[in-house]
Amino acid sequence: QRQQGTSLGTQIESALETAEGNSVRGGLLLRGRTSHEAIAPTAAKRMQRASLGIYLEDEWKPARGVTINAGLRGDWLRSLGESPVAEPRASVVWQSDGGFTVHGGYARYASASPLGEEPAGTSLPDEKDDYFDAGVQQKIGSFTIGLDGYYRRTRHLIAEHMTPGTATPQEFAFARARFRGVEFSAIYAQGPVSAWANLDLSSSQGRTIVGGTALFSPAILAAGNSRWTPLATDRPLSGSGGIAWRIGGLNLSADVVAGSGAVRTTDLSDPNGARAPAYVDLGLASVYHFDLFGRPLDMRLDLTDLTNVHYVTGDAANLEGGWTRFAVGRSILVGFEQSF
């Protein structure tokens, strides 16, 4: 089975400054896609889709340090003859003279299942997402500290199941899904030294498989209808940090990445209920900048995954299937970059 696709599209955008601190932007995105799937030596299936998106947004600054942005987008996801999906969005940002910033926003998004990847003989419902986010940031001398939170509520979440040996993935959908998280960030910059750290606490779950049910056993479907199921992207805890030091033309850096393990299914009554071990990945890097024949040249040396942890990045035993994938182990990479 072979599949080929062709996509063509265009985007047109314009902006108008209506008054001091006020601007209006609008545009459209038009896309056409054709898919050819060979289902037998002498038989083929041809599918077409045309989608159109039109948007308008207004940005204004009603007071010192305050910026408000509001807009509306309409999408014809599968055909120009269908009814459009309305997607409102708005955000507000306030920045004080003392380096304190607070922001909040809401946006709705909609999307259709990729052409040619829906289960045979069925049509998945369109996905609709409501996204909320809010956060604060404070600059204190050489430090910048931030705290952000988000919540995404989804109806008919489109997911992808890959069977090894097949040409294209097959789509399925959860009737409901929710994504929640809080991220703490800290940045330090003073002279030749800079450092950063991020910590993310999150949860991503889906419930009730409503499309592509033939891909799963009755036990998995029953469990998915009765409880929230972790998604393949679910990582309750992840963090990263690093430090960099500049000495003339030499940059030295070290970083660390840690996180929860990938989900997998070991019990059909508890889909995606098991998890691979957590991991910690350490790395070192050095970059030397100099001129060669009057042109800048960078020489780079990277030592990655010093702990040599072959942690799982994607598990074939989760609902999305595919191949089990592992991170590359300890490596030494040497590179050169020449500008012309």
Side-chain angles (χ1 to χ4, degrees):
Q1 189 181 62
R2 295 182 295 106
Q3 187 176 52
Q4 294 180 326
T6 303
S7 296
L8 296 173
T10 185
Q11 178 175 350
I12 301 174
E13 183 177 273
S14 63
L16 174 65
E17 297 289 338
T18 59
E20 184 178 356
N22 182 258
S23 62
V24 177
R25 290 185 294 272
L28 64 86
L29 299 92
L30 179 63
R31 183 184 180 189
R33 176 167 173 80
T34 303
S35 176
H36 298 268
E37 182 178 357
I39 56 179
T42 59
K45 181 170 64 174
R46 186 173 185 267
M47 294 166 286
Q48 290 182 308
R49 177 182 295 172
S51 60
L52 172 66
I54 298 177
Y55 60 92
L56 181 68
E57 63 179 25
D58 188 11
E59 179 183 288
W60 71 98
K61 300 179 179 180
R64 179 182 176 87
V66 178
T67 302
I68 299 175
N69 194 307
L72 179 65
R73 173 168 170 158
D75 268 308
W76 290 259
L77 298 173
R78 298 174 181 267
S79 168
L80 302 185
E82 67 179 7
S83 300
V85 179
E87 300 163 80
R89 53 201 62 186
S91 66
V92 58
V93 179
W94 176 64
Q95 185 172 10
S96 73
D97 295 333
F100 179 73
T101 302
V102 59
H103 71 270
Y106 162 79
R108 171 172 289 181
Y109 301 94
S111 59
S113 178
L115 186 65
E117 296 182 11
E118 292 180 318
T122 63
S123 179
L124 295 179
D126 296 334
E127 178 181 318
K128 295 179 181 179
D129 299 80
D130 292 296
Y131 188 93
F132 306 84
D133 77 285
V136 294
Q137 186 180 82
Q138 176 67 60
K139 292 184 178 181
I140 308 173
S142 300
F143 288 91
T144 301
I145 300 174
L147 181 65
D148 288 272
Y150 65 88
Y151 177 70
R152 173 185 166 194
R153 179 181 61 199
T154 303
R155 288 171 291 168
H156 302 131
L157 174 71
I158 297 172
E160 184 178 274
H161 179 88
M162 172 62 78
T163 302
T166 59
T168 58
Q170 287 185 284
E171 303 296 318
F172 65 99
F174 289 95
R176 292 182 290 162
R178 60 188 184 188
F179 304 79
R180 299 169 289 180
V182 177
E183 181 178 0
F184 171 80
S185 63
I187 301 173
Y188 171 82
Q190 180 66 45
V193 178
S194 61
W196 65 96
N198 296 281
L199 179 64
D200 189 12
L201 306 175
S202 64
S203 171
S204 55
Q205 300 171 310
R207 184 163 182 164
T208 310
I209 297 174
V210 294
T213 55
L215 297 170
F216 307 106
S217 68
I220 288 180
L221 296 176
N225 289 338
S226 62
R227 69 180 71 134
W228 288 98
T229 301
L231 302 177
T233 56
D234 186 57
R235 301 291 188 273
L237 177 64
S238 61
S240 64
I243 186 170
W245 184 24
R246 186 178 68 254
I247 312 171
L250 178 64
N251 287 348
L252 301 175
S253 64
D255 62 76
V256 57
V257 178
S260 304
V263 298
R264 68 191 320 264
T265 300
T266 57
D267 182 354
L268 295 183
S269 64
D270 187 18
N272 285 1
R275 191 178 295 275
Y279 65 90
V280 177
D281 185 343
L282 301 174
L284 299 174
S286 63
V287 181
Y288 184 62
H289 308 273
F290 64 99
D291 288 340
L292 181 66
F293 304 120
R295 296 185 180 277
L297 175 68
D298 290 348
M299 291 180 20
R300 184 180 184 98
L301 174 66
D302 290 273
L303 307 177
T304 64
D305 196 2
L306 296 179
T307 51
N308 200 33
V309 178
H310 297 265
Y311 57 91
V312 179
T313 59
D315 200 309
N318 63 39
L319 297 184
E320 282 78 358
W323 300 96
T324 297
R325 299 177 297 278
F326 296 87
V328 177
R330 185 183 298 118
S331 304
I332 300 177
L333 305 173
V334 178
F336 300 87
E337 184 176 348
Q338 173 75 63
S339 299
F340 293 95

